[in-house]
């Protein structure tokens, strides 16, 4: 519950001012390996809000290893968005 709330907060902050979230982005990337689907989705969303292509590889890896097709697609689409 706490990680989900933290990711929601970080996502909201990143949407407005991505640079504030940059120092903790590694913790967001670590959530891509979470066992809980909603945490993965929130981490993907937050990384998308950062609008930094340095997270593309982590998102592509998450897409390639995801057992949930929707999570895989979301991660892949977010990586493609960051590559633009």
């Amino acid at each position: 519950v706490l990680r989900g709330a933290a990711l929601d907060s970080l996502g909201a902050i990143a949407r407005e001012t991505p640079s504030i979230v940059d120092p903790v982005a590694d913790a967001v990337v670590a959530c891509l390996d979470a066992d809980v689907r909603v945490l993965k989705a929130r981490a993907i969303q937050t990384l998308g809000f950062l609008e930094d292509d340095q997270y593309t590889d982590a998102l592509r890896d998450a897409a390639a290893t995801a057992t949930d097709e929707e999570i895989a697609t979301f991660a892949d689409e977010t990586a493609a968005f960051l590559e633009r």
Side-chain angles (χ1 to χ4, degrees), residues 6-60:
L7 286 169
D8 279 344
S9 296
L10 290 171
I13 293 166
R15 192 175 318 154
E16 297 298 320
T17 313
S19 62
I20 293 174
V21 179
D22 283 340
V24 296
D26 287 342
V28 176
V29 171
C31 289
L32 293 173
D33 294 329
D35 293 332
V36 181
R37 181 179 192 261
V38 70
L39 291 179
K40 288 182 182 187
R42 289 176 181 169
I44 293 166
Q45 180 179 36
T46 299
L47 293 173
F49 288 146
L50 291 178
E51 297 183 9
D52 189 332
D53 66 354
Q54 72 174 316
Y55 305 112
T56 302
D57 289 341
L59 289 163
R60 294 273 187 220

